[in-house]
């Protein structure tokens, strides 16, 4: 029976990089990414702030199809993700990159092992800023402009006003239910090897 390994963490924690590295070191693994199924985290920060003020009920966050696809993968059936229409084959270990862990019932109920990437806030913020700046650097293909710099400044303002609070909610509701905690500031390959060993021990 296939196992679902949830990989959760704040924005910039390194979830996607860890999942991709795990595909290289964990035999019999495949990956499914929550961002291929939802746009909740791309909502205006003000909308997410209202959700937080109303109680931060993770089950209010509807993610069509994803729960069904996780169930099918656990049944040994392949699925097609809705963005690139790429096939995801069912294998023994299904690496599930997620923002919500077990706090989101429809998807979290399928998780057999939950990993939390505990990345210092300053490291995660630095990674996000680097990602926003990358297209404007030499070779990035996009010329710096007042509009893009204003967008970066706006992100930093929202981070101070709202995003930090949203991340605190995520830590409170998601990280506390994790089975494995990894230091997200460490080398990604080192963390992948540690997680591989934990998976092989707990989900042989």
């Amino acid at each position: 029976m296939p196992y679902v390994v949830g990989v959760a963490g704040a924005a910039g924690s390194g979830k996607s990089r860890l999942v991709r590295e795990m595909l290289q070191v964990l035999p019999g693994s495949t990956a499914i990414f929550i961002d291929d199924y939802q746009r909740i985290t791309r909502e205006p920060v003000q909308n997410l702030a209202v959700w937080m003020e109303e109680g931060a009920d993770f089950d209010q966050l509807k993610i069509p199809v994803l729960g069904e696809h996780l169930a099918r993968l656990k049944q040994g059936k392949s699925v097609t993700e809705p963005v690139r229409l790429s096939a995801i084959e069912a294998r023994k270990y299904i690496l599930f990159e997620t923002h919500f862990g077990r706090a989101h019932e429809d998807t979290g109920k399928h998780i057999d092992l939950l990993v939390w990437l505990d990345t210092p806030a300053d490291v995660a913020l630095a990674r996000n800023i680097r990602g926003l700046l990358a297209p404007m650097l030499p070779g990035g293909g996009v010329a710096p402009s007042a509009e893009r710099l204003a967008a970066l400044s706006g992100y930093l303002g929202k981070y101070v006003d709202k995003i930090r609070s949203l991340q605190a909610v995520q830590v409170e509701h998601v990280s506390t239910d994790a089975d494995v905690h990894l230091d997200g500031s460490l080398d990604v390959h080192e963390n992948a090897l540690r997680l591989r060993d934990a998976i092989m021990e707990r989900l042989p």
Side-chain angles (χ1 to χ4, degrees), residues 7-8 35 45 52 59 76-78 93 103 106 109-110 113 116-117 121 123 133 146-147:
V7 179
D35 283 344
V45 173
M52 182 176 64
D59 290 330
K77 302 174 183 177
S78 65
Y93 299 111
D106 185 52
K109 65 186 178 183
H110 301 292
L113 183 75
W116 175 260
L117 266 178
V123 174
L133 287 173
E147 181 180 358

Side-chain angles (χ1 to χ4, degrees), residues 91-156:
R91 294 180 179 170
K92 181 174 182 179
Y93 299 111
I94 302 157
L95 303 167
F96 172 35
E97 184 256 358
T98 173
H99 310 298
F100 311 124
R102 294 191 178 103
H104 185 261
E105 171 66 18
D106 185 52
T107 57
K109 65 186 178 183
H110 301 292
I111 294 175
D112 298 294
L113 183 75
L114 179 61
V115 181
W116 175 260
L117 266 178
D118 190 8
T119 304
D122 60 335
V123 174
L125 178 59
R127 289 173 177 170
N128 285 332
I129 293 174
R130 288 185 67 186
L132 292 170
L133 287 173
M136 295 183 281
L137 296 176
V142 176
S145 65
E147 181 180 358
R148 290 184 176 276
L149 292 175
L152 176 57
S153 176
Y155 170 78
L156 292 173

Side-chain angles (χ1 to χ4, degrees), residues 2-197:
Y3 297 110
V4 171
V5 178
V7 179
S13 61
K15 300 184 298 295
S16 298
R17 288 184 66 218
L18 178 59
V19 168
R20 292 190 177 97
E21 188 69 19
M22 288 297 298
L23 291 173
Q24 305 303 314
V25 303
L26 181 64
S29 61
T30 190
I32 185 168
F33 297 87
I34 194 171
D35 283 344
D36 290 335
Y37 289 81
Q38 60 86 38
R39 295 295 179 268
I40 295 164
T41 53
R42 299 177 191 177
E43 287 282 324
V45 173
Q46 294 84 350
N47 293 356
L48 294 173
V50 170
W51 166 81
M52 182 176 64
E53 292 167 0
E54 292 178 347
D57 181 358
F58 283 78
D59 290 330
Q60 289 181 350
L61 308 176
K62 303 303 179 184
I63 311 175
V65 182
L66 181 53
E68 176 187 339
H69 278 194
L70 287 169
R72 286 179 60 85
L73 287 168
K74 291 193 75 169
Q75 294 166 4
K77 302 174 183 177
S78 65
V79 300
T80 300
E81 56 88 2
V83 175
R84 293 174 298 277
L85 301 179
S86 300
I88 303 173
E89 298 180 8
R91 294 180 179 170
K92 181 174 182 179
Y93 299 111
I94 302 157
L95 303 167
F96 172 35
E97 184 256 358
T98 173
H99 310 298
F100 311 124
R102 294 191 178 103
H104 185 261
E105 171 66 18
D106 185 52
T107 57
K109 65 186 178 183
H110 301 292
I111 294 175
D112 298 294
L113 183 75
L114 179 61
V115 181
W116 175 260
L117 266 178
D118 190 8
T119 304
D122 60 335
V123 174
L125 178 59
R127 289 173 177 170
N128 285 332
I129 293 174
R130 288 185 67 186
L132 292 170
L133 287 173
M136 295 183 281
L137 296 176
V142 176
S145 65
E147 181 180 358
R148 290 184 176 276
L149 292 175
L152 176 57
S153 176
Y155 170 78
L156 292 173
K158 291 173 184 175
Y159 181 88
V160 172
D161 294 338
K162 299 293 183 183
I163 295 176
R164 287 189 306 164
S165 298
L166 288 167
Q167 290 179 341
V169 169
Q170 186 187 24
V171 169
E172 178 184 356
H173 290 273
V174 180
S175 72
T176 52
D177 200 28
D179 306 297
V180 177
H181 289 253
L182 296 174
D183 183 350
S185 64
L186 297 179
D187 175 75
V188 65
H189 184 68
E190 180 180 347
N191 268 335
L193 294 178
R194 291 185 179 188
L195 179 53
R196 180 196 63 186
D197 292 345

